[in-house]
Amino acid sequence: MAVKSRCTNFLLRATFTLLMLPACLAQNSYCPNVETIGGTVTLQDGDMVCAPLGQGQLSTDVGSDYLVCTNGQVKRMSCNAHLRFDTDSKICNWRALATCDLPSSLPIVPTGQVPTTPQGPRVNGCQNTFTSEGYTNLAHGTYACAPVRPDDGAFFKGRLFIWCDNGEVRGPVPCRNGYTWDTSVNSCTPGPARCDLSSDVKPVVTSARPPVQTTPQPGPATTKVPTTQQPTTQRPTTQRPTTQRPTTKQPTTRRPTHPSGPCNPSSCRLPSCFCYGDTPIGTPLADTPQFLMLTFDDAVTPQAYQQYYLPLLVQNKYNLKNPTGCKARTAFYVQHDYTDYALVKKLYNDGHEIACHTVHHTLPKGDDPSDFAEMQNEIQGLRDMMMKNTNDQELVDGIVGFRAPYLRVAGNVQFDVLQSNHFLYDTSILNAKTQIGKDPLWPYTLDYVIERNECINPPCPTKPYPGFWEIPLNGIKGDNDFDCSMVDACWVGENANTATEEQWYNFFKRNFEDFFYPKKIPMPLFMHVSLFMRNHNAYTGLGRFLSDMLTTHDDIWMVTPKQVIQWMQDQRPNSEMVGQNWGCA
């Protein structure tokens, strides 16, 4: 009973169902003495934490790798370039929104608390220490902000700190989310960083750029950073276990290109082609429907169904109906592992979209054509498993959408498999535009290649896929003014796990009114049900928001991503849709 109870508690906090539930039920697995970015801890089976920096990695690489405890063994995994692991949501997220704070359940001093200054005589200082303010000579026990890359911007300054311990530079250690280092009080504090060097710490004038001095940490083998002199404007070269961060400035944003030229309405026409960044013109804005797309990723489990899907979507607790009077719909990106297929069939029979999220919640890298067979097994394999377990051909034929696990796009091979198996769309490519003052995107087709700088979770496809749709993960803005691609990764109130129902309601409504409704761009509400398990207020706040929008507006529709594409292919004014009972069948 104790093991069963422990597994139940684990399910309440897990974000991804790949964390070996059967092993949990079979034995009490754990990983002792694991070195993490925040110190040495004992991990329970299924725990996920940020990995320590490997040799050659810089302080701004914190969170690029993470550790998973599975069956008593620690596996090191990597996020895509530009993303960092977030221990709160257990996904790879934007760097600005990710935190490596250790969970409170782990018996260790939380990261972000100043480590105790070593006792004993002050023997050695740290010469030529690279800090955010340049090279300095730090005395024993002195702290400083860790260095950042030149193009990372002011936001990242002070998010990590280092200190001198008897001649050795310790750290970097991250401050908890929302806090930065303050050298005047030697602590992480809310608000902007204060990294000014004290008057007795003098900058060192040097023309060389030696590697950042960090405590050696265990990690995957990497190429050592050369210690030869480099110009101060050059970024140090490191070898990453995944795609390397570009070392040159990205090109200026412009239209996606195609071998036959840039995408334009004369060369790209609906219903089979739609340009990246374009707006549908088939209906006047005032009579254009506003779509809300609610989706859930991962396994459909009895707990998730009974506690949330059944009351919210099947029993329709909040009376969610479209302008036609027909019940609102959502989509489920389902993985095979731990899914109860009888419940999937119930959701499908209730009118909701079933889409693919792979068999085992994993994909090969997709950087080599030889990955095709494994990719096929994970993507088409989900359809095969669905048929085997439901014996419902109509359900299986309706699986035409795909979302990559962890939002890790797997390059051309992923899209080769999707198109060859007659999928209609993918929804894995991120788009964070509101943070820099740009509008969210409508879905578009991949007839034209996406510009490299428009793909922020590479590798995106580098060749055309005519007629294949992409529903981008438009960023929604958290209460800290930073974009997040999944709702459960957003900053709401003081903390997404403690935010009130009112704070969640206001978060949804503010994004709706500021970024989507003014131009009738479909609003994404993409999430994992584990968000509700961590904070029930997110569930009630979402229910209130959806109910209010659908009952107070006659042009708001809660539909599936597939239905949005169907509307784009055959655009009708809102008034006509109501009269024709659009989307009721």
Side-chain angles (χ1 to χ4, degrees):
M1 289 299 294
V3 174
K4 184 176 181 181
S5 176
R6 187 175 301 110
C7 293
T8 301
N9 292 333
F10 157 65
L11 282 172
L12 289 172
R13 61 185 171 83
T15 297
F16 299 121
T17 55
L18 61 86
L19 300 178
M20 301 301 177
L21 177 59
C24 182
L25 293 172
Q27 59 180 330
N28 181 23
S29 300
Y30 64 93
C31 302
N33 302 322
V34 179
E35 291 293 332
T36 76
I37 190 65
T40 302
V41 298
T42 294
L43 300 178
Q44 296 295 323
D45 192 68
D47 281 341
M48 304 170 73
V49 294
C50 293
L53 291 177
Q55 188 167 357
Q57 290 184 309
L58 300 180
S59 60
T60 47
D61 292 319
V62 168
S64 60
D65 299 337
Y66 59 97
L67 306 175
V68 182
C69 177
T70 303
N71 291 337
Q73 295 184 341
V74 177
K75 295 183 179 181
R76 188 175 182 122
M77 304 183 73
S78 300
C79 296
N80 275 346
H82 310 298
L83 301 180
R84 296 294 181 266
F85 186 73
D86 179 27
T87 53
D88 282 346
S89 59
K90 291 186 172 63
I91 64 173
C92 294
N93 201 355
W94 311 112
R95 287 191 300 176
L97 299 177
T99 177
C100 281
D101 290 358
L102 291 172
S104 58
S105 58
L106 297 178
I108 188 173
V109 177
T111 57
Q113 178 173 333
V114 180
T116 304
T117 302
Q119 301 297 317
R122 299 187 176 187
V123 180
N124 297 312
C126 300
Q127 305 299 311
N128 296 333
T129 303
F130 190 27
T131 75
S132 64
E133 309 304 293
Y135 293 94
T136 65
N137 295 329
L138 292 180
H140 167 78
T142 302
Y143 296 86
C145 295
V148 296
R149 297 179 187 272
D151 58 352
D152 275 335
F155 176 81
F156 295 96
K157 186 175 181 179
R159 295 197 70 195
L160 303 103
F161 62 92
I162 57 176
W163 71 99
C164 179
D165 175 12
N166 287 334
E168 293 187 21
V169 176
R170 303 293 187 182
V173 172
C175 293
R176 67 186 180 94
N177 215 349
Y179 283 60
T180 54
W181 187 253
D182 186 340
T183 54
S184 66
V185 294
N186 274 352
S187 179
C188 293
T189 60
R194 295 186 61 182
C195 294
D196 298 341
L197 298 173
S198 60
S199 58
D200 58 338
V201 179
K202 304 297 183 184
V204 176
V205 179
T206 176
S207 59
R209 293 195 59 153
V212 178
Q213 304 173 37
T214 59
T215 304
Q217 303 278 7
T222 55
T223 301
K224 253 191 173 180
V225 179
T227 56
T228 53
Q229 292 188 356
Q230 301 178 23
T232 57
T233 57
Q234 184 172 343
R235 182 182 302 175
T237 301
T238 61
Q239 182 172 328
R240 295 281 303 281
T242 55
T243 306
Q244 291 191 359
R245 185 192 306 273
T247 56
T248 58
K249 187 176 180 181
Q250 298 281 10
T252 304
T253 302
R254 61 182 185 277
R255 286 277 189 148
T257 58
H258 185 274
S260 62
C263 185
N264 60 73
S266 63
S267 59
C268 182
R269 298 179 180 179
L270 290 168
S272 60
C273 183
F274 190 77
C275 288
Y276 175 105
D278 271 1
T279 300
I281 58 174
T283 60
L285 182 63
D287 206 12
T288 296
Q290 169 67 59
F291 295 122
L292 305 177
M293 298 182 293
L294 176 64
T295 74
F296 294 95
D297 286 14
D298 297 343
V300 177
T301 65
Q303 180 188 18
Y305 182 84
Q306 292 295 332
Q307 293 186 7
Y308 302 107
Y309 300 152
L310 177 64
L312 180 67
L313 302 171
V314 180
Q315 297 173 342
N316 207 8
K317 172 182 178 180
Y318 289 93
N319 194 31
L320 305 179
K321 294 183 179 180
N322 287 323
T324 56
C326 297
K327 193 159 62 173
R329 299 184 180 184
T330 189
F332 294 86
Y333 294 87
V334 180
Q335 68 177 66
H336 163 70
D337 288 345
Y338 319 126
T339 281
D340 186 324
Y341 285 94
L343 300 179
V344 173
K345 194 163 182 175
K346 288 184 178 181
L347 292 168
Y348 173 75
N349 290 337
D350 198 55
H352 304 290
E353 179 184 352
I354 306 302
C356 177
H357 202 45
T358 73
V359 174
H360 301 302
H361 204 276
T362 186
L363 285 178
K365 289 184 178 180
D367 54 358
D368 190 279
S370 63
D371 288 336
F372 188 95
E374 184 180 353
M375 195 85 68
Q376 171 86 0
N377 291 338
E378 285 293 336
I379 295 176
Q380 179 61 23
L382 187 280
R383 283 174 167 171
D384 297 338
M385 296 304 296
M386 191 71 67
M387 186 64 194
K388 178 181 178 180
N389 287 277
T390 67
N391 195 31
D392 190 329
Q393 189 64 56
E394 183 181 74
L395 188 163
V396 174
D397 291 343
I399 299 177
V400 294
F402 176 79
R403 180 171 291 152
Y406 309 105
L407 304 181
R408 289 181 182 166
V409 179
N412 288 345
V413 180
Q414 172 186 321
F415 292 87
D416 289 341
V417 170
L418 290 171
Q419 191 166 62
S420 65
N421 286 282
H422 308 293
F423 278 76
L424 173 67
Y425 73 90
D426 169 79
T427 175
S428 308
I429 297 178
L430 306 181
N431 174 61
K433 296 296 182 181
T434 59
Q435 190 171 317
I436 56 175
K438 294 187 177 181
D439 291 332
L441 295 172
W442 278 86
Y444 54 91
T445 63
L446 297 178
D447 292 68
Y448 296 81
V449 179
I450 304 171
E451 281 287 354
R452 181 182 177 188
N453 66 306
E454 297 290 0
C455 173
I456 58 178
N457 56 328
C460 291
T462 58
K463 64 180 184 180
Y465 290 88
F468 188 82
W469 287 82
E470 179 66 34
I471 296 182
L473 279 84
N474 283 314
I476 52 179
K477 187 172 289 189
D479 289 346
N480 60 347
D481 286 336
F482 285 96
D483 281 357
C484 39
S485 54
M486 303 290 285
V487 171
D488 35 326
C490 293
W491 185 305
V492 180
E494 292 297 321
N495 186 305
N497 295 332
T498 60
T500 65
E501 176 185 314
E502 194 67 23
Q503 287 173 322
W504 276 104
Y505 174 86
N506 291 334
F507 159 75
F508 290 122
K509 188 174 182 181
R510 173 176 53 78
N511 273 279
F512 174 78
E513 293 176 343
D514 289 353
F515 303 112
F516 298 96
Y517 194 55
K519 296 189 177 180
K520 299 292 186 71
I521 301 171
M523 180 177 181
L525 296 167
F526 302 157
M527 63 186 70
H528 301 82
V529 73
S530 58
L531 170 65
F532 301 156
M533 298 177 183
R534 297 196 307 271
N535 186 353
H536 189 75
N537 292 329
Y539 170 73
T540 55
L542 174 67
R544 273 185 56 201
F545 165 75
L546 294 173
S547 178
D548 285 359
M549 296 302 102
L550 291 171
T551 56
T552 59
H553 297 71
D554 61 4
D555 59 349
I556 295 180
W557 303 67
M558 181 175 156
V559 301
T560 69
K562 181 165 62 175
Q563 287 180 299
V564 172
I565 293 175
Q566 289 170 345
W567 180 87
M568 293 186 69
Q569 293 174 324
D570 182 17
Q571 297 170 33
R572 304 181 186 185
N574 184 75
S575 54
E576 181 179 316
M577 293 167 64
V578 174
Q580 296 178 350
N581 284 333
W582 188 91
C584 289

